[in-house]
Amino acid sequence: MDLGPSMAVTVEAIEDQAPAGAGRKKLGAGAWLAIGWIVGLGVLAVIAPWIGVPDPTETFPEYARSGPSAAHWLGNDGLGRDLAARIIYGTRASYIVGFGAVAFGLLIGGFLGLVVGFFRGRVDAIITPLMTVLLAIPQFVLALALVTVLATPQRAGETINPSVRLGVVVLGLGLVSIPILGRITRATTMAWSEREFVLAARAMGAKQFRIMFREVLPNVVPAMLSIALLGVGIAIVAEGGLALFGAGVQLPTPSWGNIIATDKDQLARSPHIILITSMVIFLTVMALNYLGDVVVERFDVRESVL
Amino acid sequence: MGIAKKLGQLLATVLLVTLFSAFLLTLLPGDLADIIVPFGTDAQREQVREDLQLDAPFPVQYARWLGDFVRGDLGDFYNGPTSRRPVAETVKEALPKSLELMLWAQVIALVIAIPLGVMTAYKNGSKLDRFSGIAGFAMLAFPAFALGFVLQYFFGVRLGWLPTGGFVPASVSVSGHVKSMILPAITLAVAQIAIYMRLLRSDMIQTLQQDFILMAKAKGLSSRTVLFRHALRPSSLTLLTVAGLNIGTLIGGALVIEVVYNIPGMGLQMAKAIGGRQPIAFQSMVAIIAIFYVLVNFAVDLLYTVLDPRIRNASN
Amino acid sequence: MSAPHVVDGPAPTGLPGAGPLLEVRDVRTQFSSPRGKVRAVDGVSFTLDRGKTLGIVGESGSGKSVLSRSIMGLLPGNAERTGQILFEGRDVSDLDPEARRALWGPEMAMVFQDPMTALNPVLKVGRQITESLRLHLDMDKAEARETAVELLRAVRIPEPESRINAYPHEMSGGMRQRVVIAVALACGPKLLFADEPTTALDVTVQAQVLDLLAEQQRQRYMAMILVTHDLGVVAGRADDIAVMYAGRVVEKAPTRTLFSGMRMPYTEALLSAIPKLADPSHTRLNAIGGRPPDLVNPPAGCAFAPRCPYAKERCHQEQPVLTETAPGSGHFFACHYPVGSPENAEVADQLEAKRLMSIAPPPPPLLQGEGPEGGEV
């Protein structure tokens, strides 16, 4: 059996004439499928009221816990609400949480990382240790603590306004993602800031902020994009975890997470609720992860940075 | 010297973390006593307010909490205005269960991921490699809690092989205990398997290109010796680093899976604290988890210097 | 096109009654690459007797390293090798992996080029020596350790008893290369491949390591294939020298014969690339212009023709065959217009004139020998 030892000699001979500019391929079928799934679900969630999707809060008691039927394609949940409708409308909350949290984290964490990675020095010395401390609390625990503290009803029996809760979930998961996104952006920025063209721009006396935004940022974007895509999936799943603790999106507004959390006790009698919803989350996260990989490949983002 | 410095950093991080989690409590709207004993009488609320020194300024509150915490008093869990239970007792019962779950998950993950990672690196591009690549991709995308329910359904409900949930102490029944831990541990392990396998594979592919591997091979050593003695050890350093970083994810996953499988570990207790609106108990448990996390990372750091002689010597 | 054959000269030496230790017949090694087959070794044959040294010389990319790995059987998965390799009369070209591994260590071993990367950074050097002792020679732990200490002593590592517990990064490059040699010598191989054993080392250490190899070779009556890009390295150390270019042997002769009467222009070019002690310190080194040919699509005629100062029309069309200067001389070369042939006289004169020009202006006598290039060979 061969272990495939390195052969400097052959590598040398082969590399000499390696075709240049390989890699800028068209998007493959997989990527389009992934985009189609993510965008399709989003569009469906937006136009749902106009295409005859039933109200996700309307109950059909006679259909409670029943599996897929002609009237309700994906069956009904524990209270008899249409599962398809809840999943489609749940896309709204899950997407808002997923994309919202990452957008929030990227806006702050990305900016901090960019500034700190570009200027280093004192800013770096203050911000990086702070981020390290934030990273010292497991992300999920921190998010759980934030949401619990910021959106706990004051008295038993009271409920929190669903949109306030949604905002808090986005904020909580977004805050949690700041140190991670910041650290990655910082590392990528530092790597690019050492490149010749940046040094050249500096030497020519261009304004620092101009260099940062014009020369460095465009090159940092691919790494941020790929990690952001992974982050969206993580945030969507995290909302599901929060929902199990009663700290996810507030009922009756559906989210993928609270659909599962609400009916977790129906697993034995009507497994379709959890199985179908799990499949939707799974496919979405897989699509997002796949697109993240595509970005890494196309833009040659170095793995070490991630 | 190196260790003393690291210990200092460790202490500072723990302090900052607890300070932060205590600060979170001040963000709670309204009166903490109202939240903790919502149906209590005014006198009972006054008692809680006094016990927790709720009227004192934040630094005093924190100092009191820290003082208690260091002495092992994690506050009380108020089941009602008059009945309460020390959080420390709850933690004493819950923490070992969570640790056991994580330990099994980690063991399962490594036992599966290491041979697979090594083999896929060695047979880079083979059918096994491509298949496990795809499988790993899917495993990484499957949310742990959803996987928990799916496994529960198939192995618990449909096949009836394993319990759908609940925790059986080993003192009651060893086989029952093992059975009750299998599904939760596998659920928690799945994503870790994918991560470790991917990582080990890419690292090993690089290691296998090294001259020292060719030299080991030229000694006439068997492929197994070359792979596991010469190639795995340098690559295991990367694995260890990531395993350390991963502990955070593992903790979050364990908490969620405890809720899914109804295992009375830290996760379930925290869910109870949230449901019972017990911010002090919740804060103490967050602090315990954060400290555990910091300690594990510290241990990983130490282990790292043991495994890599280059670092060991540099720090001497 | 028929394969050029190198047939070793007569006068078999070695153990009485035994044939040559190693016989290589028409070995060809190809690598599959995205661009096609890379013909790294293209029909090489030779024999090597016990205790003798063969120097294989060529530029990087000439196939010399691949040749030694082809003989040993240490090739990556995308390599394809044909031809026959007889070791002590036994055909070892198509052994199964198990049988081949049994050869590596006690029969043949290799000293690798770069001591900084050839040792496992996370294993103690002692372990790296003892593991083959325990595997091949069935030694127990204590015995292997003792032997390892003796080996380290033999390769002149000071305080071997403590050094055995050191990690590679705690040693200098020269020390590490001695460890690499100790590892190779551990099981007492009959044939040692030394693949550019000193290229990665400081100039001052190079000679010590080469002398060490020669000394060990004499003591152990071991044959050695010394692969290098530097004719100077093999000059005093090899019994025979084979010069390789583009995967083929282009000249082969006993060392003395080669240096006194080289026929192949490529050999001449290699030789002129070595700085000479006698040259004034400002002499420009004659690097060989151009690059080795593409091994996927080698040129039709002589592979060296595009870079050869003497090349004529015929060289670009017809590949020269390896031929012996005189029957029994042991000196083979593959060239249509070898060095010293009348057709080359004019070009040779021009080259000589150029060389003399490059020496000028002569340096002031006071500074002689103090230049940075001075005195190093």
Side-chain angles (χ1 to χ4, degrees):
Chain A
M1 282 187 208
D2 268 310
L3 277 170
S6 66
M7 298 295 292
V9 185
T10 33
V11 170
E12 203 174 284
I14 294 162
E15 268 178 356
D16 278 352
Q17 290 95 2
R24 286 283 149 137
K25 289 165 285 181
K26 282 186 175 172
L27 283 182
W32 283 115
L33 209 64
I35 293 173
W37 172 266
I38 292 165
V39 174
L41 266 179
V43 169
L44 210 57
V46 171
I47 64 168
W50 296 283
I51 54 168
V53 177
D55 188 312
T57 56
E58 189 185 349
T59 54
F60 303 89
E62 68 279 16
Y63 281 105
R65 293 186 297 276
S66 61
S69 60
H72 304 283
W73 291 357
L74 298 182
N76 301 68
D77 74 357
L79 294 176
R81 292 173 294 199
D82 186 88
L83 184 61
R86 286 193 76 69
I87 290 177
I88 289 170
Y89 278 94
T91 308
R92 292 183 174 182
S94 288
Y95 272 24
I96 289 174
V97 169
F99 288 97
V102 169
F104 181 81
L106 212 53
L107 211 64
I108 297 182
F111 181 74
L112 285 178
L114 188 67
V115 170
V116 159
F118 187 75
F119 291 104
R120 305 197 195 176
R122 212 173 295 165
V123 236
D124 195 14
I126 295 170
I127 292 176
T128 304
L130 271 180
M131 292 200 177
T132 314
V133 171
L134 274 184
L135 280 173
I137 306 176
Q139 307 301 305
F140 181 75
V141 177
L142 183 58
L144 185 61
L146 283 169
V147 177
T148 312
V149 165
L150 297 178
T152 302
Q154 295 223 18
R155 290 168 189 281
E158 278 180 13
T159 52
I160 286 279
N161 179 345
S163 39
V164 170
R165 175 63 85 75
L166 187 61
V168 169
V169 171
V170 170
L171 189 77
L173 291 174
L175 279 173
V176 161
S177 68
I178 288 176
I180 306 171
L181 293 170
R183 199 173 55 172
I184 290 159
T185 314
R186 173 175 173 267
T188 321
T189 306
M190 276 163 83
W192 281 101
S193 300
E194 297 292 310
R195 293 290 184 93
E196 287 83 359
F197 66 93
V198 177
L199 297 178
R202 278 184 159 167
M204 278 161 57
K207 287 216 171 70
Q208 295 281 26
F209 268 92
R210 196 188 149 82
I211 301 171
M212 188 173 82
F213 284 114
R214 286 289 183 81
E215 309 283 349
V216 179
L217 183 62
N219 291 298
V220 174
V221 162
M224 287 161 81
L225 181 63
S226 78
I227 199 76
L229 285 165
L230 300 185
V232 172
I234 292 171
I236 288 175
V237 171
E239 191 274 332
L242 290 177
L244 282 175
F245 284 81
V249 171
Q250 182 76 42
L251 290 167
T253 308
S255 75
W256 295 342
N258 70 24
I259 294 172
I260 292 178
T262 312
D263 280 328
K264 64 176 197 283
D265 298 329
Q266 309 291 345
L267 184 65
R269 255 192 298 179
S270 12
H272 69 278
I273 304 168
I274 284 176
L275 296 187
I276 292 172
T277 315
S278 297
M279 202 45 73
V280 172
I281 303 181
F282 168 58
L283 291 175
T284 308
V285 175
M286 195 151 76
L288 287 163
N289 289 358
Y290 186 77
L291 288 179
D293 278 6
V294 169
V295 171
V296 168
E297 268 168 37
R298 275 178 76 81
F299 294 96
D300 191 28
V301 180
R302 277 170 306 156
E303 290 267 356
S304 59
V305 171
L306 303 181
Chain B
M1 180 58 210
I3 289 201
K5 198 180 160 197
K6 270 185 185 149
L7 273 173
Q9 277 176 351
L10 175 79
L11 208 64
T13 315
V14 167
L15 273 178
L16 279 171
V17 166
T18 55
L19 193 65
F20 182 75
S21 66
F23 172 72
L24 271 183
L25 278 190
T26 65
L27 295 179
L28 272 175
D31 186 352
L32 209 54
D34 276 352
I35 298 172
I36 295 173
V37 284
F39 301 116
T41 61
D42 282 350
Q44 285 162 340
R45 265 181 228 172
E46 201 47 51
Q47 184 63 43
V48 169
R49 207 168 280 135
E50 205 171 290
D51 285 351
L52 301 178
Q53 293 181 9
L54 289 183
D55 297 324
F58 173 72
V60 176
Q61 278 192 41
Y62 174 69
R64 183 201 56 80
W65 177 84
L66 189 67
D68 287 351
F69 189 87
V70 171
R71 272 178 274 128
D73 179 1
L74 306 187
D76 288 327
F77 194 113
Y78 291 78
N79 292 316
T82 50
S83 107
R84 51 184 188 170
R85 184 174 192 233
V87 176
E89 271 179 32
T90 313
V91 168
K92 216 180 279 169
E93 283 168 20
L95 195 58
K97 293 175 183 126
S98 299
L99 292 182
E100 192 194 341
L101 176 60
M102 286 191 274
L103 186 71
W104 281 123
Q106 209 59 310
V107 168
I108 292 173
L110 290 175
V111 162
I112 295 177
I114 289 178
L116 268 180
V118 171
M119 285 320 285
T120 50
Y122 176 38
K123 303 249 175 204
N124 183 7
S126 67
K127 268 192 192 135
L128 172 81
D129 181 30
R130 271 174 292 166
F131 175 76
S132 57
I134 294 167
F137 195 75
M139 282 153 77
L140 214 50
F142 215 108
F145 68 91
L147 181 71
F149 286 121
V150 170
L151 292 180
Q152 217 177 76
Y153 178 67
F154 282 104
F155 292 98
V157 179
R158 289 293 290 273
L159 298 169
W161 292 350
L162 295 162
T164 53
F167 178 82
V168 181
S171 54
V172 173
S173 154
V174 172
S175 71
H177 175 72
V178 170
K179 275 185 180 171
S180 72
M181 291 306 275
I182 291 178
L183 285 184
I186 289 177
T187 308
L188 191 53
V190 163
Q192 312 287 319
I193 293 174
I195 294 171
Y196 294 155
M197 193 177 76
R198 232 180 170 186
L199 188 92
L200 190 57
R201 175 182 175 274
S202 67
D203 207 78
M204 281 277 287
I205 286 176
Q206 282 182 17
T207 306
L208 290 177
Q209 302 289 319
Q210 301 284 326
D211 281 357
F212 66 80
I213 294 299
L214 189 61
M215 172 142 160
K217 209 187 145 197
K219 288 180 198 168
L221 302 174
S222 69
S223 298
R224 228 181 71 190
T225 314
V226 173
L227 283 173
F228 286 91
R229 188 184 299 162
H230 282 267
L232 180 59
R233 196 153 156 204
S235 288
S236 64
L237 295 170
T238 326
L239 195 67
L240 184 71
T241 317
V242 171
L245 289 172
N246 242 354
I247 293 285
T249 321
L250 198 69
I251 292 171
L255 302 184
V256 171
I257 280 160
E258 282 167 19
V259 177
V260 169
Y261 285 97
N262 204 16
I263 293 171
M266 292 296 281
L268 205 62
Q269 297 303 342
M270 280 168 79
K272 274 189 189 162
I274 294 168
R277 283 173 299 280
Q278 297 295 320
I280 299 287
F282 185 72
Q283 185 208 327
S284 291
M285 288 195 259
V286 169
I288 292 277
I289 291 173
I291 289 167
F292 168 70
Y293 180 45
V294 173
L295 281 175
V296 169
N297 274 316
F298 178 67
V300 166
D301 248 23
L302 287 185
L303 203 58
Y304 203 90
T305 55
V306 172
L307 272 184
D308 192 340
R310 287 164 294 187
I311 297 180
R312 197 188 315 160
N313 281 67
S315 64
N316 279 352
Chain C
M1 201 158 288
S2 75
H5 279 260
V6 184
V7 184
D8 210 28
T13 50
L15 293 176
L21 177 72
L22 177 72
E23 196 172 349
V24 173
R25 289 182 191 155
D26 195 22
V27 162
R28 287 160 198 273
T29 304
Q30 300 185 330
F31 295 98
S32 43
S33 81
R35 290 181 53 244
K37 299 271 183 206
V38 180
R39 287 188 239 169
V41 176
D42 197 15
V44 171
S45 309
F46 64 84
T47 59
L48 179 63
D49 288 322
R50 284 162 206 279
K52 295 288 179 184
T53 301
L54 172 68
I56 299 181
V57 186
E59 287 166 284
S60 69
S62 61
K64 58 192 195 304
S65 286
V66 178
L67 174 63
S68 58
R69 288 173 193 196
S70 301
I71 297 166
M72 201 159 159
L74 201 61
L75 288 168
N78 65 341
E80 201 183 298
R81 188 199 62 198
T82 58
Q84 250 189 336
I85 293 146
L86 301 173
F87 186 80
E88 296 188 302
R90 177 163 79 112
D91 190 340
V92 296
S93 24
D94 291 307
L95 291 179
D96 61 81
E98 183 94 7
R100 208 188 308 146
R101 281 203 294 269
L103 287 182
W104 293 341
E107 306 294 334
M108 41 179 90
M110 186 175 279
V111 174
F112 288 85
Q113 178 173 350
D114 188 355
M116 308 312 266
T117 57
L119 293 170
N120 193 325
V122 299
L123 295 179
K124 289 178 182 171
V125 296
R127 174 76 171 274
Q128 302 192 47
I129 299 173
T130 52
E131 65 182 346
S132 47
L133 293 172
R134 301 197 59 188
L135 174 77
H136 294 293
L137 307 182
D138 278 330
M139 289 188 184
D140 64 30
K141 224 171 180 172
E143 206 179 343
R145 195 189 152 82
E146 225 166 90
T147 314
V149 171
E150 284 317 308
L151 278 162
L152 288 180
R153 204 188 309 282
V155 295
R156 305 262 166 71
I157 286 185
E159 300 169 47
E161 293 87 355
S162 62
R163 282 309 207 165
I164 198 164
N165 289 320
Y167 286 96
H169 68 96
E170 297 166 319
M171 297 180 152
S172 67
M175 282 296 146
R176 287 195 215 186
Q177 191 61 314
R178 288 165 195 270
V179 173
V180 171
I181 291 169
V183 168
L185 295 177
C187 299
K190 295 171 184 139
L191 172 60
L192 187 72
F193 295 90
D195 186 357
E196 302 261 11
T198 58
T199 311
L201 301 177
D202 284 348
V203 187
T204 46
V205 187
Q206 285 186 0
Q208 295 173 13
V209 168
L210 287 169
D211 290 343
L212 173 71
L213 275 172
E215 174 197 296
Q216 290 297 321
Q217 184 192 8
R218 267 195 310 278
Q219 285 177 6
R220 292 161 191 269
Y221 200 58
M222 179 175 71
M224 180 156 77
I225 292 182
L226 183 56
V227 177
T228 175
H229 64 278
D230 186 354
L231 260 179
V233 164
V234 287
R237 296 180 168 93
D239 298 293
D240 291 283
I241 292 175
V243 178
M244 277 187 81
Y245 189 76
R248 291 160 176 265
V249 171
V250 292
E251 183 158 18
K252 180 183 181 298
T255 305
R256 198 176 291 275
T257 317
L258 187 88
F259 278 96
S260 60
M262 56 186 58
R263 309 300 306 275
M264 179 62 197
Y266 179 61
T267 315
E268 186 187 51
L270 275 180
L271 188 67
S272 67
I274 308 173
K276 289 184 199 69
L277 209 54
D279 280 342
S281 61
H282 285 76
T283 310
R284 276 182 47 213
L285 295 181
N286 269 320
I288 310 172
R291 310 184 58 180
D294 178 7
L295 294 177
V296 177
N297 298 301
C302 171
F304 186 59
R307 303 166 72 187
C308 180
Y310 311 119
K312 300 201 168 26
E313 197 50 38
R314 187 181 164 204
C315 303
H316 291 285
Q317 277 148 15
E318 196 185 321
Q319 191 165 30
V321 177
L322 202 60
T323 40
E324 198 166 8
T325 48
S329 70
H331 184 177
F332 298 80
F333 67 96
C335 184
H336 297 306
Y337 304 102
V339 176
S341 54
E343 291 92 333
N344 296 344
E346 197 182 328
V347 185
D349 286 350
Q350 287 169 7
L351 286 176
E352 180 59 17
K354 227 176 171 179
R355 194 185 74 82
L356 289 173
M357 294 279 282
S358 75
I359 296 173
L366 260 178
L367 294 175
Q368 196 156 13
E370 284 182 18
E373 316 92 322
E376 281 176 13
V377 176

